[in-house]
Amino acid sequence: MMDIRTIREQAAQFQAAADGKKIAISIEELLETDARRRELARQAEELRARRNRRTQDIGAKIAAGKQEEAQAEKEQMRLDRDELAGIEAELDTVLQRYRYLMERVPNRVSPDTPTGRSDADNVVLSENGQPPQFDFQMRDHVELGELHGLFDIERGVKVAGSRSYFLKGDGLKLQRAVQQLALDVLEERGFTAMDVPLMVRTKAMQGTGFFPTGQDQAYRIEGEDAWLVGTSEVPLIAYFAEETLDVTEPIRVAGISTCFRSEVGSAGRDVRGLYRVHQFAKVEQVVICRGEDAESERLLQEITRNAEDLLDLLELPYRKVAVCIGDMSQKNYKQYDIETWMPSRNAYGETHSASNVGDFQARRAGLRYRDEDGKLSFCHTLNNTAVAVPRLLIPLLENHQREDGSIYIPPALRPYMGGREMLPTPVTETE
């Protein structure tokens, strides 16, 4: 959790972060609870010390034959014991409230984070590539998928309920091609690829800052201390938890995993197609570095550039936006989103998110390193989506469609697609 001393010194900043991120917490109440916690702890310690002194005094008085005085001391000890029990009971209650509040304290945001209340207030920083201008009646990704037999949403819903789907044939091959391209690019850039557990314990979700504020988005395994992950960021950070790390060079890992998200609060939104689904797959970049602002800022730019380079390889138009405070989660210090052009939406849609988390996760998960002086310090952590599918299939199919329904395959994907340059329009029996 965040350092309580820093919270005391910068209470106004933390309250502003909570208000901006729409997290219902009173920093004033936290500080009052903290003060009461410290006072009760002081009183309890004094009573324990007095009990120890009385114990010694009683022994000395008994040895000296002063039975009445020893009995009086025993009576005082009983009163002290009762008083200590009351203080410890109150301290336990106060500690529970203190921990509850501390778990909800948000990370502060960077000075260059835009103000705003929602994604509508995010600030466009750059645009890359031109959205296609079709001189024919374009198809959306659902129509293209049906035409080419890439996925089956109707049967997905039949089998698993809303926001479910089957990928098949070239749809599955495209998804795997995009994932493998991302892994290959990242490995060339010093990332170690890892296949991660899809279930983690509550401690891992808490340590990475996804709980308690994001608990409604996660699926729990009934009867077990296990949750399905919404990103491999969780097991990757937990992999290093409670360790002293060598971050002379930043640790770079790329997790590939299936992910699950309940999408609570999205009823009626993005119900057509593959944009918002319960099960998806990601290749996630996670970086752990020294707790230095300049280094983590440099690495944020690096991992964001990795995602942009992948979109350039896929020949997709996209833009980078600075995420405003009202669109940020509890844990993020600074965030960029990358939005890719989706013709069927006639708009850019979020496909990547890059975050500098500062020492927020490191404090919760216990990621430390020794600085040049040998002093233990907390690391900084960062994360970024390299690819998230099937959502990325939406712009891939829609932007690269041709009038006859065929779909262009960018050169970067062809080695993973058997060398094919196009997905040709299927020939029907009538043809």
Side-chain angles (χ1 to χ4, degrees), residues 235-260:
L236 288 175
I237 294 294
Y239 178 87
F240 297 98
E242 306 301 335
E243 294 186 16
T244 300
L245 305 171
D246 181 359
V247 288
T248 306
E249 287 295 322
I251 296 171
R252 295 176 173 88
V253 286
I256 182 167
S257 69
T258 302
C259 305
F260 304 89

Side-chain angles (χ1 to χ4, degrees), residues 14 75 83 89 133 145 194 293 331 410 417:
F14 281 99
E75 179 61 23
E83 184 180 357
Q133 300 295 319
M194 298 179 71
D293 292 343
K331 64 187 176 69
M417 294 293 294

Side-chain angles (χ1 to χ4, degrees), residues 247-302:
V247 288
T248 306
E249 287 295 322
I251 296 171
R252 295 176 173 88
V253 286
I256 182 167
S257 69
T258 302
C259 305
F260 304 89
R261 194 166 296 167
S262 69
E263 294 294 350
V264 167
S266 64
R269 294 173 54 201
D270 307 308
V271 293
R272 178 172 170 81
L274 302 176
Y275 189 84
R276 196 178 299 277
V277 291
H278 290 309
Q279 177 182 320
F280 52 99
K282 287 205 295 180
V283 176
E284 185 80 9
Q285 306 174 71
V286 168
V287 178
I288 304 171
C289 67
R290 294 189 298 268
E292 300 172 2
D293 292 343
E295 176 160 348
S296 56
E297 171 64 20
R298 175 181 63 80
L299 289 164
L300 176 64
Q301 303 304 322
E302 175 189 304

Side-chain angles (χ1 to χ4, degrees), residues 86-106:
I87 288 173
E88 288 178 332
E90 183 182 354
L91 179 58
D92 183 63
T93 300
V94 170
L95 278 172
Q96 289 183 40
R97 184 61 180 172
Y98 174 76
R99 295 189 186 106
Y100 175 91
L101 294 168
M102 283 292 286
E103 284 184 344
R104 286 157 178 78
V105 174

